Amino acid sequence: MKKITECTDDYLMLELPINKAVMVDLTHQPEETIEHTEYDDGYEYEYNEYVTKVSLGYQRLLDFINTKCVIHGNCPICKVPTFYNVKCGCELDKQILSPILRTYRDEQIDMEDYYIPDPDNEMRNKAENLVEKVKFFDKKFFCPKCGEMYQASFALEYHEKLEKDSDKYEAEIILIKIGQYPSLQEFAIIDYKGFNKVLDALMIKDDYRNAIRNHINGDNIAAYVYLRRIVEKIIIEAFRKNKVELQINDEEFEKLRTKERISRLQSYLPEFLFDNKEIYSVVSAGIHTLNEQQCEEYYDIIKNAIDIILHQEEARRKEIEMTKKTKKDIQMVVGKIR
């Protein structure tokens, strides 16, 4: 699970899938020492003030809930990339917004009757208070071009448990996305990156689109199903077009393992696929052995590999078409000269 300090507003609003969460770390409260100089009856004296503030994760959560921001994405109505003005989720009172957990001075350290609060306890109290008052909130945003209003909905949960072999508590807030209008798929910008024709030629555009959309929705195992289909269809199409030259029939080809098929088709496949035969093993593992978290972790690597393969396949097809056309044109020129 990602920490909220690792997440941009764009990610939380337009990439975090429904029913997925990010963690708000309540530990590591920053501390600072402020030096003061005061004058009393002509005498100068100095003292230090020690200030402990809320954790960085908690402050990031407050900023996300309580402030406006600008995010960037694809407008489902305009069908073009744009920016959105995001409204405040809900207004929080001054006590919740205060970044100070505790403060005390030099002279108070040695005072027997002065109680210096424990920052962890203060942080937990603040966090519990926030979640009690703000269990649910909506972040609305609109497209400046068409004026259409959209929304993402969130919930907060507070979790606390006693540390093992200790009298201290571990506490955290979980921020969960519970709704999105319209769906995340509508906001996705699917860029075919110059290999649109090869997607159509191999009839894998739907597979490519579905892989991206499932990943956006947090269904990464399902995304791997479509990525594997893309690799399989490239291999099968290479065999179908060249099986006469390969001198191998359908039955023999079916018996071959995928790595063996790739080896036999070396001259007819993108170089990157031949050099990295393990790609198929990885996408297969995503379906059979890897869990959702592992599939999400490796998705970008595998998706980039698929994009390279498609780029090379597009270039190979263009070269073949250009070669055929140019040969035909040369024969036409030769015929006219004669």
Side-chain angles (χ1 to χ4, degrees), residues 4-5 7-9 12 56-64:
I4 194 171
T5 49
C7 302
T8 63
D9 290 327
L12 294 172
L56 298 179
Y58 184 81
Q59 186 60 57
R60 173 74 179 96
L61 175 63
L62 293 182
D63 292 340
F64 180 66

Side-chain angles (χ1 to χ4, degrees), residues 265-281:
L265 292 165
Q266 178 179 1
S267 301
Y268 311 102
L269 289 174
E271 182 181 353
F272 192 83
L273 177 55
F274 177 78
D275 291 341
N276 298 274
K277 301 178 183 68
E278 297 81 6
I279 290 171
Y280 186 82
S281 299

Side-chain angles (χ1 to χ4, degrees), residues 228-317:
R228 187 173 76 166
R229 285 184 188 176
I230 291 171
V231 177
E232 288 174 337
K233 288 180 180 180
I234 291 173
I235 295 170
I236 291 170
E237 181 67 8
F239 167 70
R240 187 186 68 80
K241 285 194 168 185
N242 302 283
K243 60 182 176 181
V244 175
E245 293 182 33
L246 289 165
Q247 297 182 339
I248 179 173
N249 60 40
D250 293 351
E251 186 178 346
E252 292 172 328
F253 186 74
E254 285 293 327
K255 292 179 180 179
L256 296 175
R257 300 174 65 183
T258 301
K259 284 188 178 181
E260 294 171 335
R261 293 180 182 183
I262 294 173
S263 295
R264 293 289 292 271
L265 292 165
Q266 178 179 1
S267 301
Y268 311 102
L269 289 174
E271 182 181 353
F272 192 83
L273 177 55
F274 177 78
D275 291 341
N276 298 274
K277 301 178 183 68
E278 297 81 6
I279 290 171
Y280 186 82
S281 299
V282 176
V283 290
S284 294
I287 300 168
H288 299 297
T289 60
L290 301 182
N291 58 36
E292 276 287 350
Q293 185 176 352
Q294 290 171 313
C295 286
E296 181 179 11
E297 182 181 352
Y298 307 140
Y299 173 83
D300 287 340
I301 297 172
I302 302 305
K303 171 65 166 46
N304 288 339
I306 298 295
D307 285 351
I308 293 171
I309 290 168
L310 291 170
H311 271 298
Q312 291 185 349
E313 180 67 10
E314 179 76 10
R316 191 182 68 84
R317 285 173 171 267

